Structures are given as C-alpha cells and as structure tokens.
Amino acid sequence: MNNAQLFERAQQVIPGGVNSPVRAFRAVGGTPRFIARAQGAYMWDAEDQQYIDYIGSWGPMILGHGHPAVLEAVLAAAREGFSFGAPTEREVELAEAIVAQVPSIEQVRLVSSGTEAGMSAIRLARGATGRSKIIKFEGCYHGHADALLVKAGSGLATFGHPTSAGVPAEVVQHTLVLEYNNLEQIEEAFRTQGAEIACVMIEPIAGNMNFVRAQVPFVKRIRELCDQHGALFVFDEVMTGFRVALGSAQSVYAKAIPGFRPDISVFGKVIGGGMPLAAFGTTRRIMQNLAPLGPVYQAGTLSGNPVATACGLATLKEISQPGFYEALGAKTRALIDGLKAAADAAGVPFCVDSEGGMFGFFFTDSLPQNYNVVMATDKERFNRFFHGMLERGVYLAPALYEAGFVSAAHSDADIEATLAAARAVFATL
C-alpha cells in the first residue's frame, strides 16, 4: 500500500489517522509518510522512498537508527524476558548512569513516558513543598497531563485556561502561565504569590516552539527567586537531556551560572534510546517524599522495563565516549551554518541556532525569544520549504514549531546532500 492508501485506512480506525497529532501533517498540509524501516541516518516510507532523517523519533535516535551495539543489547534483553513486574539489576545500572552524569541528581525514578515523568515531578514538587501553585511558560510543552495543558490568562494575575477539551477549569486554576524569557513577569508572580508557588517548570531550551533558549539572566533569576521563596525549580529535559550535552542542558547553564543546579530534573527520549522510557530525579532528601518511602504516590507496571533499560544503557554507553559531543555539535553547526548561507544567498530572511545535536531555524531576521514571536514567523514560507525538502528526500519536522535533531550517523555527505536540496528550495522561495 502507498502512503495515501495507508493514511485513508488509518483514519478509519485511528482518530486523524495518527497516534500523536503532529504526525498528521495538518500544520503543513499533504499526506503523512508511513515509515516502513530505518537505518543509520535514513528512513524509508511505504513507497520505498528514502529520506535523510532530521527527526530521529523526535530526539532519541542520537546514534542513528539500528546502531549495532544498541540492537545487540536489546535483542539479548528480549531473549531474557520482555517484562517481569519486579526489580532488575539493569534498572539500577541505568539509574547509576544517569546520576553519574547529572550532578543535581542523587536518585531517579524510572517511568515510561515524558508525560508521566513531567506530571510526577509536579506532584513531587507539590508534595515536598506543601503548596499547590505552579508556574509554566507559554510555548513549553511538558506532556499532556491536565494541569500542564494550559494557555496564558488575560493578565499576569490571571491563572491559565485549559488548551484541551476535557480539562476542567478548576484543574488548571493553580497553574500560572507566563511569557518565556520575560523577567518582569516572573518577578511579579513571585512578588504577589511567592508563598503559594510549589515550583517553576521550564524547558531550558524549548523544543516545542522550534528551538528557543531560555536566556541566562532569566534562568539565573528564576533560581534566585525559587531559593528566596522556597519554591522548587524543575528542568524539563525530556528533549534536551543527553541530547545537547552529556550533562544535559543544565550543564550548559552551569558554565554560565557558577554553581547552578535545578531542583528536579525530568528526562526522556535519549535515556531510552528509542524505547518508551523516561525518568525524574532530584536529591535524596526530596525523593524521600516518594512512595514507598513517603506520601507522594507514583507507580507503573512497565516502569524500568528490562528491554527499554537495555536500550537506554547501551545508548548512554556509546554517547559517553570521548569526543562524541564535539563531533555531534560540529555536524549540527555545519548543517545550520550551511542552511543560513543558502538562505542568505537566496535573499530569504532566515536565522538558526543549535546546541549539541539539537537545532532550529526560523523564517525571520532574528531569533525569537518567546512563543508569540515564533507564531508570528513566516508559516507559509516554512510549509513550502518543508515540502520542497521532503520532495528532495530530506525529512524535517512537519511543523514550524518543532526542533530538529542530528545523529552521529549523519555523514558529511548527508549534510552536503541536505544543503544542496536546501539551495534548490531556497531559490524557489
């Protein structure tokens, strides 16, 4: 069956024909590609069309698809058993591997998805502080838990409104949504409601409004305000964790802010190597609030799944090799610098940014600092660029508000082929 036939068939039995909304191509138009297989830096669809893959399963495939060491680890684990519902040594090994690379964490709890990790981190923060209110930022996505599916209210003192049907207003009444990188708003929120705030949750490099960094003074001030008012600072590193650096995004900020550490960290994607696995972690003192030791309840039948932990452990072992991130960062910069040069040569407004193996680009003259500016960039031109690249065998995220990812499997030839395609497409824009 071809892509169109599969999409038609899927829509009969799956809402919108997809199991995660952005896959439906609604933002860019056209027919989604149904992927049949992948290897290294490439994917092939149902029509056997090959693509250079810059989605990488939205981040986890940092080594590329089907890395031999990871594949062997997964096959060996599968032979031993898919799931036991009991502790395994591999869970301990993966937890130790995460703790070893992230100084802010002394203990972690493994779960199955980024959404589960995010909502559990919020519950832990509320349980540890005895407070109810939380702060998040417009454009940061922390999973589809009810309390986090919120858009900004009409004014600073107004709590957010649900962005999804099925989320009662009273469920999000304790969620305050502020503008990303807006110092004035975070100052005011703590000034007026600091004693009631359990935590501030942020994507340090937002990957769900394309690629937007939290500015260093902004992160530094949130850290100070949380310390001053007894709130916890939660870094959502589902996307950035082990993707932008071996120590994750928090290590990038620690270089600019001496002694910086978040209170709670949320991980996913890379730590599972493409399998359903995520985690949240913090100090031993805060984790003592978690069941079975404390009153904050969290559980999951497939948490710490033995096949998923094998995949994650093998991935972390490979990315811990000396020079891995230097090489990955150089490839990513070669890609975005080449895209910028191609756009400039064609006279197309374009700006780029990257960290480690994560990148973003915008059809505008300067890098956006918040969600509203991202949404004002040239969507129509992005859509044309996306389809032009797809037709030339380059698979980018099918929406202007998603970051992109480079893997260790991308070769110099892959980067050059991508840039050749980009030069041809920019000429049409």
Side-chain angles (χ1 to χ4, degrees):
M1 289 187 127
N2 63 30
N3 293 308
Q5 290 168 328
L6 282 169
F7 191 40
E8 178 59 33
R9 180 177 159 197
Q11 289 176 83
Q12 303 307 309
V13 289
I14 301 171
V18 293
N19 284 305
S20 192
V22 74
R23 300 177 193 172
F25 276 37
R26 290 286 183 95
V28 293
T31 302
R33 304 308 192 257
F34 280 69
I35 303 304
R37 68 187 194 282
Q39 183 61 48
Y42 312 112
M43 300 193 299
W44 288 263
D45 69 12
E47 298 168 23
D48 208 35
Q49 172 67 48
Q50 178 180 308
Y51 303 95
I52 303 172
D53 176 20
Y54 289 105
I55 293 183
S57 188
W58 303 102
M61 312 313 297
I62 192 168
L63 298 172
H65 299 279
H67 187 281
V70 178
L71 186 58
E72 182 50 46
V74 169
L75 292 173
R79 293 186 191 103
E80 294 168 352
F82 288 172
S83 182
F84 310 124
T88 67
E89 183 178 4
R90 204 173 293 124
E91 293 171 76
V92 183
E93 292 173 344
L94 182 58
E96 289 171 340
I98 295 169
V99 168
Q101 299 296 348
V102 186
S104 68
I105 296 178
E106 294 175 342
Q107 292 187 329
V108 298
R109 173 63 60 87
L110 302 181
V111 295
S112 298
S113 74
T115 288
E116 190 182 357
M119 73 179 194
S120 300
I122 292 289
R123 186 179 302 155
L124 176 60
R126 283 170 160 162
T129 61
R131 301 173 179 181
S132 299
K133 293 182 178 180
I134 63 175
I135 290 175
K136 73 176 291 286
F137 299 96
E138 187 111 54
C140 288
Y141 178 69
H142 306 294
H144 60 266
D146 283 1
L148 296 168
L149 285 178
V150 193
K151 64 183 176 181
S154 58
L156 179 56
T158 307
F159 282 85
H161 307 299
T163 54
S164 169
V167 178
E170 55 269 26
V171 172
V172 300
Q173 65 179 322
H174 298 301
T175 304
L176 181 58
V177 186
L178 307 182
E179 186 176 75
Y180 200 72
N181 281 320
N182 189 320
L183 271 169
E184 183 181 341
Q185 285 191 3
I186 193 74
E187 295 272 9
E188 177 70 4
F190 270 100
R191 188 185 67 78
T192 58
Q193 300 170 78
E196 303 169 76
I197 296 168
C199 68
V200 178
M201 193 173 204
I202 194 170
E203 281 186 282
I205 300 173
N208 291 281
M209 48 178 159
N210 206 308
F211 182 109
V212 182
R213 297 174 187 265
Q215 297 301 303
V216 169
F218 186 61
V219 172
K220 183 174 184 287
R221 188 58 183 143
I222 295 173
R223 177 69 278 172
E224 291 167 352
L225 288 166
C226 285
D227 289 341
Q228 181 182 336
H229 293 272
L232 299 178
F233 195 4
V234 182
F235 253 39
D236 180 346
E237 298 228 43
V238 167
M239 198 170 282
T240 56
F242 298 91
R243 170 45 89 167
V244 301
L246 185 58
S248 304
Q250 54 197 268
S251 71
V252 176
Y253 284 91
K255 291 176 183 176
I257 309 169
F260 173 78
R261 293 184 180 188
D263 294 302
I264 302 176
S265 301
V266 180
F267 294 101
K269 299 189 187 293
V270 170
I271 66 164
M275 289 280 189
L277 193 148
F280 61 100
T282 177
T283 61
R284 187 172 280 101
R285 178 183 64 82
I286 295 175
M287 285 298 244
Q288 299 305 300
N289 291 280
L290 203 60
L293 300 177
V296 178
Y297 195 73
Q298 183 278 327
T301 297
L302 294 176
S303 295
N305 176 271
V307 182
T309 50
C311 189
L313 260 177
T315 299
L316 291 185
K317 181 179 179 181
E318 294 299 319
I319 66 177
S320 299
Q321 300 300 318
F324 178 86
Y325 283 92
E326 289 78 6
L328 183 65
K331 285 182 188 181
T332 309
R333 286 191 298 275
L335 172 68
I336 65 165
D337 289 348
L339 290 173
K340 172 64 172 165
D344 288 350
V348 175
F350 195 76
C351 59
V352 297
D353 198 4
S354 74
E355 189 71 50
M358 182 175 170
F359 70 91
F361 58 82
F362 301 90
F363 284 88
T364 187
D365 289 318
S366 58
L367 289 169
Q369 298 301 309
N370 59 59
Y371 177 78
N372 289 332
V373 177
V374 170
M375 290 298 103
T377 61
D378 195 335
K379 177 180 179 181
E380 190 273 337
R381 191 173 255 163
F382 170 86
N383 291 353
R384 287 162 57 201
F385 181 73
F386 167 80
H387 281 290
M389 295 296 281
L390 193 67
E391 290 165 7
R392 288 164 177 81
V394 178
Y395 201 120
L396 299 166
L400 66 77
Y401 46 82
E402 302 287 350
F405 303 95
V406 173
S407 78
H410 284 86
S411 66
D412 292 343
D414 294 328
I415 301 295
E416 182 46 48
T418 302
L419 298 179
R423 286 190 284 270
V425 178
F426 279 127
T428 71
L429 299 184

